[in-house]
Structure formats: C-alpha cells, structure tokens
Amino acid sequence: MRLLTLVYGFTAYLVGLSGLTYFFLFMGGWSFLPVHIDSGDSGNPLTALLINLGLILLFAVQHSFMARDRFKQALKKILPAAAERSTYVLLSGAVTWLICLCWQPFAGTVWNIENEILQVVLVALQLLGWATAVASTFAINHFDLMGLQQVYLNYTRRPEPSPRFAERFMYRVVRHPIQLGILVGMWSTPWMSLTHLLLSASMTCYILVGLYFEERDLVAALGDDYRQYRRRVPKLIPLPRLKN
C-alpha cells in the first residue's frame, strides 16, 4: 500500500504540474500549441458562455471544497492520509487541463498593442509572473504543496513535520506571491481578446474570494504569528505600508 501510495503521489504530481504548465502557455497564446486562449473560431455566444461558466464553477468547487478541513478528514477515511494532498493536486491538474482544452472562444478584442517595445515588455512581464508563481512554491515547500513530501515520508515510514510559519524570499514582500504571479501572468499580454478577458476576470474573482478563506484558515492554524505577519506585509500589491 505504501508503494502504491508513492506511485499515486508521483502520478498526481505529473498531472498537476503538466496542467499548470500548459495553463501558463495556454494563457500566453503561444502559437506552437495545438490549443491556446486565442485559437479556434467563435460559435454561439450563449452556449460558449454557459460552457465557460460551468468550467469556472467546476474549478471553484474543486479548489474550494477540497481545501476545507472537513472534506480532508472525510477523504482520509477513504484513502491513505498521505494521499490526501496528492488527490487534490491530481484533480486540480485534471480540471486545469479541462479548462484549457474546453474553454470556448468569443469574438472581439479588448486591446491590441502594436508597439514592438511594449509587446516585448508585456511578454517579459507575463513570463516574470509565471516564474514568480513557480518560484514562490519553492520558497515555502514545493514538494509538500504538491503532495510529494507526504507520500515519500509515508513510504519511508517517517512522520510528517508539523506546520510552521516561515517568512522568506517573496513572502517578505507580499503575503501571496503565488497568486500575485498568476494575476500578473494572466493580465500581461499585448493582445487581450474577449476570450482572454473573460478567463482572466473569472480567475481573478476566484483568487480574490479564495484568498479571503485561505487567510481565515491560516489565522486559525498559525494564530498570532500570522496576525502579526498580516499587519506587516501587504496582501497582493507590493507597496510599503505607511507607519503612523
């Protein structure tokens, strides 16, 4: 069972990582992809809207409900406790793939930057956003976040370390650099189509709502350490706070 759990964890990691990587490229509209945010022809707007809303709802339900402690405890009664995080990563990757492959296009352009210098700047900013999101996972614990640490420790019969508060690297500048990087990556584009706008706006709304519940859970888990951290460090916009 421990070996099966380890294989399951590595499989979930590959699905989750590939889904995230494809999403980054998908949002960039890179032409070498078979399907990207601006590929395909627009069809019936109402049908496209309903499908896209369904995809966002699926994403929100999966990410939100599976992140709640009550769901985690229920899942641990069915699967090995070490596989709980891997299951979240596996389904997150599957849903992300589904969004990339099934997102419906809309006709229309919001902005189209023709200046070559600005195009390069925006693409560079987009890549910086994705790099920030990925690097931020390593600033805390990438392998714990993606479920690999849990299945490995379970396989080697070692206990999981207790969660502790750590303030390092990008987390000294903003409290949620992963989400900041994703927001920068989604919105930094020289060509903002209506299709791109709808996905970026939907994801932004979800991130802002999701951070409210995430911070509530962090306060419950970490107590005064996180309350003091929240007073010192801004949430998403890396601007210095004015002192009284």
Side-chain angles (χ1 to χ4, degrees):
M1 180 61 70
R2 288 184 293 112
L3 178 59
L4 287 176
T5 303
L6 182 66
V7 173
Y8 176 76
F10 271 91
T11 303
Y13 176 76
L14 293 176
V15 173
L17 187 63
S18 64
L20 189 62
T21 302
Y22 195 90
F23 178 78
F24 291 167
L25 298 172
F26 174 83
M27 292 299 294
W30 298 98
S31 58
F32 62 84
L33 295 178
V35 179
H36 58 78
I37 188 66
D38 295 312
S39 65
D41 298 323
S42 58
N44 186 296
L46 180 58
T47 302
L49 181 62
L50 291 176
I51 292 174
N52 291 345
L53 287 177
L55 291 170
I56 289 297
L57 181 62
L58 178 63
F59 180 89
V61 168
Q62 183 268 317
H63 277 70
S64 299
F65 280 89
M66 291 193 72
R68 305 281 73 80
D69 286 336
R70 184 177 299 180
F71 185 92
K72 292 179 182 179
Q73 296 305 319
L75 189 62
K76 288 177 181 178
K77 295 178 181 178
I78 304 172
L79 297 174
E84 178 268 320
R85 184 65 187 180
S86 293
T87 304
Y88 177 87
V89 171
L90 175 66
L91 294 180
S92 296
V95 171
T96 304
W97 270 109
L98 195 62
I99 289 176
C100 294
L101 298 178
C102 299
W103 191 260
Q104 299 298 300
F106 287 85
T109 298
V110 182
W111 70 69
N112 185 15
I113 306 297
E114 297 182 355
N115 184 283
E116 293 184 358
I117 296 177
L118 286 179
Q119 288 179 355
V120 172
V121 169
L122 287 170
V123 171
L125 192 59
Q126 178 187 122
L127 297 176
L128 178 62
W130 302 137
T132 299
V134 173
S136 298
T137 67
F138 286 94
I140 40 176
N141 189 333
H142 173 83
F143 300 107
D144 176 78
L145 192 66
M146 300 295 285
L148 280 182
Q149 176 174 283
Q150 293 88 327
V151 295
Y152 176 75
L153 292 177
N154 176 69
Y155 179 72
T156 57
R157 298 181 182 275
R158 287 189 283 177
E160 291 186 32
S162 301
R164 62 187 180 87
F165 177 74
E167 182 182 344
R168 58 173 74 97
F169 301 114
M170 290 77 76
Y171 288 87
R172 298 178 184 273
V173 181
V174 291
R175 301 199 300 272
H176 301 283
I178 296 176
Q179 289 82 353
L180 173 62
I182 292 173
L183 290 173
V184 171
M186 289 191 302
W187 288 97
S188 300
T189 176
W191 178 32
M192 176 64 76
S193 64
L194 186 57
T195 311
H196 192 147
L197 175 68
L198 291 174
L199 182 52
S200 296
S202 300
M203 285 293 187
T204 299
C205 291
Y206 170 75
I207 287 174
L208 295 178
V209 173
L211 286 181
Y212 168 79
F213 292 101
E214 182 178 341
E215 293 230 317
R216 188 181 64 177
D217 292 345
L218 287 169
V219 169
L222 300 173
D224 287 337
D225 284 341
Y226 195 80
R227 290 190 184 95
Q228 294 175 10
Y229 174 64
R230 191 163 59 174
R231 295 189 191 103
R232 294 194 312 271
V233 179
K235 188 174 186 177
L236 279 174
I237 302 175
L239 295 176
R241 291 188 169 181
L242 297 178
K243 295 184 178 181
N244 194 347

